[in-house]
Amino acid sequence: MESKEKTPALIEEVKPPGRFAQVFLTLYDVYQFIALFFKEGFFPPYEFKELWRQCYDIGYRSALLISTTGFITGIVFTKQSRPSLAEFGATSWLPSLVGIALLRTLAPLLTGLIAAGKVGSSIGAELGSMRVTEQIDAMEVSATNPFKFLVTTRVLAATITIPILTFYTAMIGMLGALLNVAMFEDTSAKAFFQSSLESITFLDFTASTVKAILFGFTIGIVGCYKGYNSSKGTEGVGKAANAAVVTAMFLIFIEEVISVQFFSLFRS
């Protein structure tokens, strides 16, 4: 009888990482993605033309929706705040209340959430479709840096544009509040804006700017990360766009809570 030799298995089956380990692997990938952004973003060559195009594209995409939402928010917030102040005979404080609320919280948060839904999903879907159709691979073959051209410009554009849109939202919201006040009270536009701006401090402008920058960076980096690393064809493109919106909104709320606690230390 012929003896059959048993050869030992030289290659063991590698088990996939568990959910707990997968979380840390994802965090490490995100860390590498962000580190690569700072490396590519601050060293030449610079893509100024593409950066300008992305800034215009992000502002144009969000301008109409932000204008409508900001104007309605100013009207509704003023209308809802008037009865509470009237109970204490403090309706004269309404312009100050609206100005502080819009600049400190409502304008950055509204702009961030709208941009996360409008811009974040667009970035995720656009880069995701480029990934699954191998356009990004083609750019690498043609000696073009796809990360610098696609990711860096979009993240920088979102970081620059969102603060501008934030103050634009605050201005539109103040116009809506002025319209509501003018309908119910005998207050001129000059008196309204003078009263609302008197209570706003430099710290309020600083806090609003810092939050808007954080929100813009979060929207850009999340949308680019989800889209740049998407897979599974058209299904992956849809998942990348959806994940970009949900993740960006979740992180914006967390950043809002942390920033409020941080800047409240300087107000106490």
Side-chain angles (χ1 to χ4, degrees), residues 120-135:
S121 62
S122 177
I123 292 176
E126 186 178 6
L127 294 186
S129 63
M130 294 182 69
R131 170 62 71 182
V132 299
T133 56
E134 299 182 352
Q135 295 182 46

Side-chain angles (χ1 to χ4, degrees), residues 78 82 176-189 192:
T78 306
R82 181 180 287 103
L178 173 62
L179 177 64
N180 185 271
V181 170
M183 291 173 60
F184 294 95
E185 300 174 15
D186 187 16
T187 304
S188 63
F192 175 84

Side-chain angles (χ1 to χ4, degrees), residues 21-73:
Q22 189 64 39
V23 172
F24 286 96
L25 290 175
T26 303
L27 291 177
Y28 180 72
D29 288 340
V30 173
Y31 163 76
Q32 285 188 317
F33 194 83
I34 296 175
L36 184 59
F37 160 75
F38 283 105
K39 177 184 177 182
E40 298 289 349
F42 297 99
F43 292 96
Y46 302 108
E47 302 288 348
F48 289 112
K49 185 177 181 180
E50 179 65 14
L51 175 62
W52 172 254
R53 191 182 74 83
Q54 291 298 326
C55 288
Y56 173 80
D57 200 17
I58 292 174
Y60 177 76
R61 284 177 183 170
S62 309
L64 180 60
L65 186 57
I66 283 179
S67 300
T68 305
T69 307
F71 191 76
I72 295 175
T73 300

Side-chain angles (χ1 to χ4, degrees), residues 187-256:
T187 304
S188 63
K190 180 180 179 181
F192 175 84
F193 283 108
Q194 183 176 0
S195 178
S196 61
L197 294 176
E198 280 180 352
S199 302
I200 297 175
T201 62
F202 178 76
L203 182 60
D204 295 329
F205 281 102
T206 304
S208 182
T209 304
V210 170
K211 288 194 291 184
I213 292 174
L214 286 175
F215 295 166
F217 177 79
T218 301
I219 293 167
I221 205 72
V222 169
C224 289
Y225 176 79
K226 294 296 183 181
Y228 200 79
N229 296 287
S230 64
S231 59
K232 298 181 181 179
T234 55
E235 181 184 356
V237 176
K239 288 183 178 180
N242 181 66
V245 175
V246 175
T247 307
M249 287 185 175
F250 177 73
L251 293 177
I252 283 173
F253 280 116
I254 293 179
E255 291 169 354
E256 174 69 20

Side-chain angles (χ1 to χ4, degrees), residues 127-147:
L127 294 186
S129 63
M130 294 182 69
R131 170 62 71 182
V132 299
T133 56
E134 299 182 352
Q135 295 182 46
I136 295 178
D137 298 332
M139 293 178 66
E140 294 176 348
V141 172
S142 61
T144 303
N145 188 343
F147 193 95

